[in-house]
Amino acid sequence: MSDYTKPLPYPNEVSQPFWDAAKRHELQIQHCNSCGTHIFYPREACSQCLSPDLIWIPVSGKGTLYSYTIAQAPTHPAFAEDVPYVIAIVELEEGPRITTNLVGCSPDHVTIGMPVMASFEEVTPEVTLVKFRPDQ
Ligand code: ZN
């Protein structure tokens, strides 16, 4: 039994490959074979052309900080010791944006457009979360 008390994701049939890749410390997103669009979050059909012909591909894990906010109050009791922490939207090199946490960086040093890269946090034996850290 894990002592991790924060909310955990509930992978489903569509999103399971994302979580399986994260467990291998690899970032994967979907790619549409019909129109070439890169897609995140996981879906059953392409967000641009509605094709169901999607595959999972590894991506670089590199991106830039598109937007962020600093949580000064915990949104769940389990996050009480983490404040202040950075809730971020990262734009991947491949295009899609991911809502995540920025770690390894004081909230005082966060700037829009800063280069970031994926970072993997094994929170339970079953779940690895994808977060981002500054890419120096
Ligand atoms: Zn498409």
Side-chain angles (χ1 to χ4, degrees):
M1 174 109 179
S2 169
D3 57 1
Y4 187 79
T5 57
K6 294 171 185 167
L8 289 167
Y10 290 95
N12 61 25
E13 195 174 299
V14 175
S15 67
Q16 187 66 55
F18 173 83
W19 298 108
D20 290 345
K23 203 167 175 179
R24 298 189 305 268
H25 290 204
E26 186 178 355
L27 182 60
Q28 290 202 2
I29 63 173
Q30 290 172 299
H31 174 83
C32 175
N33 274 334
S34 294
C35 75
T37 297
H38 290 102
I39 299 159
F40 190 85
Y41 58 91
R43 303 163 206 238
E44 292 182 355
C46 176
S47 56
Q48 294 300 306
C49 74
L50 301 181
S51 168
D53 187 11
L54 306 180
I55 58 169
W56 285 90
I57 60 165
V59 291
S60 66
K62 290 176 178 284
T64 54
L65 187 64
Y66 177 79
S67 187
Y68 72 98
T69 189
I70 298 170
Q72 302 286 354
T75 53
H76 181 284
F79 291 95
E81 292 180 9
D82 294 348
V83 292
Y85 58 91
V86 181
I87 301 166
I89 299 175
V90 166
E91 186 168 277
L92 299 176
E93 277 185 343
E94 294 81 4
R97 296 176 186 149
I98 295 184
T99 302
T100 184
N101 289 122
L102 184 66
V103 297
C105 178
S106 163
D108 296 339
H109 296 110
V110 177
T111 56
I112 298 292
M114 67 190 286
V116 295
M117 71 175 310
S119 177
F120 300 90
E121 187 175 322
E122 296 171 9
V123 297
T124 72
E126 297 79 27
V127 177
T128 297
L129 300 178
V130 179
K131 299 186 177 182
F132 282 77
R133 63 178 55 250
D135 187 13
Q136 314 291 355

